[in-house]
Protein backbone atom coordinates (compact mmCIF):
# COMPACT_ATOMS: atom_id res chain seq x y z
CA UNK A 1 0.00 0.00 0.00
CA UNK A 2 3.00 2.32 0.09
CA UNK A 3 2.24 3.75 -3.37
CA UNK A 4 -1.22 4.72 -2.13
CA UNK A 5 0.30 7.29 0.20
CA UNK A 6 1.39 9.50 -2.69
CA UNK A 7 -1.25 8.72 -5.31
CA UNK A 8 -4.19 10.99 -6.09
CA UNK A 9 -6.63 8.29 -7.24
CA UNK A 10 -6.73 4.53 -6.67
CA UNK A 11 -7.71 2.41 -9.68
CA UNK A 12 -8.99 -0.97 -8.57
CA UNK A 13 -9.22 -3.67 -11.21
CA UNK A 14 -11.93 -6.05 -10.06
CA UNK A 15 -12.69 -9.32 -11.82
CA UNK A 16 -16.13 -10.45 -12.89
CA UNK A 17 -15.33 -14.06 -12.04
CA UNK A 18 -14.24 -13.92 -8.42
CA UNK A 19 -15.36 -12.61 -5.05
CA UNK A 20 -13.57 -9.53 -3.87
CA UNK A 21 -14.45 -9.34 -0.17
CA UNK A 22 -10.83 -9.36 1.02
CA UNK A 23 -9.88 -6.72 -1.52
CA UNK A 24 -12.92 -4.66 -0.53
CA UNK A 25 -11.63 -4.60 3.05
CA UNK A 26 -8.24 -3.39 1.82
CA UNK A 27 -10.03 -0.71 -0.19
CA UNK A 28 -11.88 0.36 2.90
CA UNK A 29 -8.53 0.90 4.61
CA UNK A 30 -7.30 2.91 1.63
CA UNK A 31 -10.38 5.06 1.18
CA UNK A 32 -11.41 5.54 4.80
CA UNK A 33 -8.03 5.56 6.48
CA UNK A 34 -6.23 7.58 3.85
CA UNK A 35 -9.16 9.36 2.22
CA UNK A 36 -8.19 8.27 -1.26
CA UNK A 37 -10.84 8.32 -3.99
CA UNK A 38 -11.26 5.11 -5.94
CA UNK A 39 -12.15 4.24 -9.52
CA UNK A 40 -13.29 0.65 -10.10
CA UNK A 41 -12.55 -1.07 -13.42
CA UNK A 42 -14.47 -4.34 -13.82
CA UNK A 43 -12.24 -6.67 -15.83
CA UNK A 44 -14.59 -8.88 -17.83
CA UNK A 45 -12.78 -12.12 -18.47
CA UNK A 46 -14.35 -13.27 -21.70
CA UNK A 47 -12.16 -15.98 -23.24
CA UNK A 48 -10.14 -14.65 -26.20
CA UNK A 49 -7.62 -17.48 -26.50
CA UNK A 50 -8.62 -18.41 -30.04
CA UNK A 51 -8.93 -16.26 -33.14
CA UNK A 52 -12.63 -17.18 -33.37
CA UNK A 53 -13.26 -15.91 -29.84
CA UNK A 54 -11.39 -12.69 -30.58
CA UNK A 55 -13.49 -12.18 -33.70
CA UNK A 56 -16.62 -12.76 -31.65
CA UNK A 57 -15.58 -10.08 -29.16
CA UNK A 58 -14.76 -7.70 -32.00
CA UNK A 59 -18.16 -8.39 -33.61
CA UNK A 60 -20.01 -8.06 -30.31
CA UNK A 61 -18.15 -5.93 -27.73
CA UNK A 62 -21.43 -5.88 -25.82
CA UNK A 63 -20.37 -9.30 -24.48
CA UNK A 64 -18.38 -7.39 -21.90
CA UNK A 65 -21.44 -5.55 -20.61
CA UNK A 66 -23.75 -8.56 -20.30
CA UNK A 67 -24.50 -9.75 -16.81
CA UNK A 68 -22.49 -6.93 -15.24
CA UNK A 69 -25.39 -5.72 -13.11
CA UNK A 70 -25.06 -8.76 -10.88
CA UNK A 71 -21.29 -8.29 -10.57
CA UNK A 72 -21.67 -4.59 -9.72
CA UNK A 73 -24.36 -5.47 -7.16
CA UNK A 74 -22.14 -8.10 -5.55
CA UNK A 75 -19.23 -5.67 -5.48
CA UNK A 76 -21.40 -2.92 -3.99
CA UNK A 77 -22.53 -5.47 -1.40
CA UNK A 78 -18.92 -5.68 -0.21
CA UNK A 79 -18.15 -1.96 -0.50
CA UNK A 80 -21.27 -0.27 0.88
CA UNK A 81 -21.12 -1.73 4.42
CA UNK A 82 -17.51 -0.56 4.58
CA UNK A 83 -18.46 2.96 3.52
CA UNK A 84 -16.54 2.76 0.25
CA UNK A 85 -18.16 4.68 -2.60
CA UNK A 86 -16.24 4.65 -5.89
CA UNK A 87 -15.90 8.03 -7.56
CA UNK A 88 -16.34 6.29 -10.92
CA UNK A 89 -16.67 2.83 -12.40
CA UNK A 90 -16.28 1.29 -15.84
CA UNK A 91 -15.78 -2.11 -17.45
CA UNK A 92 -13.62 -3.65 -20.12
CA UNK A 93 -11.30 -6.51 -21.00
CA UNK A 94 -7.73 -5.91 -19.81
CA UNK A 95 -6.24 -8.88 -21.67
CA UNK A 96 -7.92 -7.89 -24.94
CA UNK A 97 -6.46 -4.40 -24.50
CA UNK A 98 -3.01 -5.86 -23.86
CA UNK A 99 -3.15 -8.30 -26.79
CA UNK A 100 -4.61 -5.63 -29.07
CA UNK A 101 -1.77 -3.29 -28.14
CA UNK A 102 0.93 -5.96 -28.50
CA UNK A 103 -0.37 -7.20 -31.84
CA UNK A 104 -1.36 -3.76 -33.18
CA UNK A 105 -4.93 -5.04 -33.53
CA UNK A 106 -6.96 -1.81 -33.48
CA UNK A 107 -10.28 -3.67 -33.63
CA UNK A 108 -9.48 -5.84 -30.62
CA UNK A 109 -8.14 -2.83 -28.77
CA UNK A 110 -11.36 -0.91 -29.49
CA UNK A 111 -13.52 -3.89 -28.44
CA UNK A 112 -11.59 -4.17 -25.15
CA UNK A 113 -13.30 -1.13 -23.67
CA UNK A 114 -10.00 0.35 -22.54
CA UNK A 115 -11.03 3.64 -24.19
CA UNK A 116 -13.81 3.88 -21.60
CA UNK A 117 -11.29 3.56 -18.79
CA UNK A 118 -9.00 6.13 -20.38
CA UNK A 119 -11.96 8.46 -20.83
CA UNK A 120 -12.96 8.18 -17.18
CA UNK A 121 -9.35 8.76 -16.11
CA UNK A 122 -9.08 11.79 -18.40
CA UNK A 123 -12.26 13.29 -16.94
CA UNK A 124 -11.08 12.57 -13.39
CA UNK A 125 -7.75 14.30 -14.05
CA UNK A 126 -9.28 17.28 -15.88
CA UNK A 127 -12.06 17.93 -13.38
CA UNK A 128 -10.53 16.89 -10.08
CA UNK A 129 -6.82 16.53 -10.71
CA UNK A 130 -5.54 19.79 -9.19
CA UNK A 131 -7.67 19.50 -6.04
CA UNK A 132 -6.73 15.83 -5.61
CA UNK A 133 -3.04 16.66 -6.02
CA UNK A 134 -3.37 19.37 -3.36
CA UNK A 135 -5.12 16.93 -0.99
CA UNK A 136 -2.39 14.33 -1.52
CA UNK A 137 0.28 16.90 -0.68
CA UNK A 138 -1.64 17.99 2.42
CA UNK A 139 -2.26 14.39 3.48
CA UNK A 140 1.41 13.53 2.97
CA UNK A 141 2.40 16.37 5.29
CA UNK A 142 -0.41 15.77 7.80
CA UNK A 143 0.92 12.40 9.02
CA UNK A 144 4.41 13.59 9.99
CA UNK A 145 2.95 16.79 11.49
CA UNK A 146 0.56 14.76 13.64
CA UNK A 147 3.46 12.55 14.77
CA UNK A 148 5.57 15.60 15.62
CA UNK A 149 2.66 17.13 17.53
CA UNK A 150 2.21 13.94 19.54
CA UNK A 151 5.93 13.82 20.34
CA UNK A 152 5.89 17.46 21.48
CA UNK A 153 2.86 16.80 23.68
CA UNK A 154 4.64 13.79 25.22
CA UNK A 155 7.79 15.84 25.89
CA UNK A 156 5.72 18.65 27.37
CA UNK A 157 3.95 16.18 29.64
CA UNK A 158 7.28 14.72 30.80
CA UNK A 159 8.65 18.22 31.46
CA UNK A 160 5.53 19.13 33.43
CA UNK A 161 6.03 15.97 35.49
CA UNK A 162 9.67 16.93 36.07
CA UNK A 163 8.65 20.43 37.16
CA UNK A 164 6.12 18.95 39.60
CA UNK A 165 8.81 16.62 40.98
CA UNK A 166 11.22 19.56 41.43
CA UNK A 167 8.51 21.60 43.19
CA UNK A 168 7.85 18.71 45.58
CA UNK A 169 11.56 18.40 46.32
CA UNK A 170 11.79 22.15 46.89
CA UNK A 171 8.80 22.03 49.23
CA UNK A 172 10.39 19.14 51.13
CA UNK A 173 13.58 21.17 51.61
CA UNK A 174 11.77 24.15 53.07
Amino acid sequence: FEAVLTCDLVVWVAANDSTQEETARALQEITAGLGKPILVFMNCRVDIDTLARRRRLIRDPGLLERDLDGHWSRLNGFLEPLGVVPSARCAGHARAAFVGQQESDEKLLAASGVDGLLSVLRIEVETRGPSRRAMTIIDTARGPLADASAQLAERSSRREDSVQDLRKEADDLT
Side-chain angles (χ1 to χ4, degrees):
F1 291 124
E2 201 169 306
V4 173
L5 298 174
T6 57
C7 77
D8 299 335
L9 174 70
V10 174
V11 177
W12 177 28
V13 179
N16 71 337
D17 63 351
S18 64
T19 56
Q20 304 288 331
E21 189 170 2
E22 193 173 298
T23 306
R25 291 195 190 289
L27 288 173
Q28 190 252 353
E29 182 181 324
I30 289 167
T31 56
L34 299 173
K36 298 294 181 175
I38 182 168
L39 180 156
V40 179
F41 176 78
M42 182 70 71
N43 185 24
C44 303
R45 295 184 179 171
V46 174
D47 186 2
I48 60 163
D49 286 339
T50 65
L51 188 56
R53 290 177 192 260
R54 288 184 194 176
R55 286 185 185 139
R56 181 174 178 223
L57 177 60
I58 291 167
R59 255 190 338 271
D60 185 11
L63 286 171
L64 301 179
E65 299 293 325
R66 289 194 191 114
D67 302 323
L68 275 186
D69 287 342
H71 297 296
W72 287 121
S73 293
R74 188 177 77 235
L75 187 63
N76 287 335
F78 294 133
L79 297 177
E80 284 175 6
L82 300 172
V84 177
V85 179
S87 63
R89 68 182 204 180
C90 57
H93 195 298
R95 186 155 181 260
F98 177 76
V99 171
Q101 179 77 28
Q102 293 295 306
E103 297 179 6
S104 299
D105 186 336
E106 294 297 322
K107 290 179 181 178
L108 184 59
L109 191 57
S112 74
V114 73
D115 285 342
L117 173 61
L118 295 176
S119 229
V120 169
L121 285 171
R122 194 173 301 110
I123 290 166
E124 287 287 319
V125 169
E126 289 171 0
T127 60
R128 298 182 185 103
S131 61
R132 287 199 173 140
R133 177 81 315 225
M135 287 305 297
T136 297
I137 291 167
I138 291 166
D139 288 344
T140 301
R142 184 176 46 182
L145 288 172
D147 291 345
S149 177
Q151 288 175 357
L152 288 172
E154 174 68 26
R155 287 180 188 167
S156 175
S157 176
R158 283 193 304 236
R159 284 193 180 126
E160 187 63 35
D161 290 346
S162 294
V163 167
Q164 291 297 329
D165 290 344
L166 288 173
R167 283 189 180 143
K168 284 180 186 176
E169 286 179 27
D171 287 345
D172 289 344
L173 291 174
T174 56

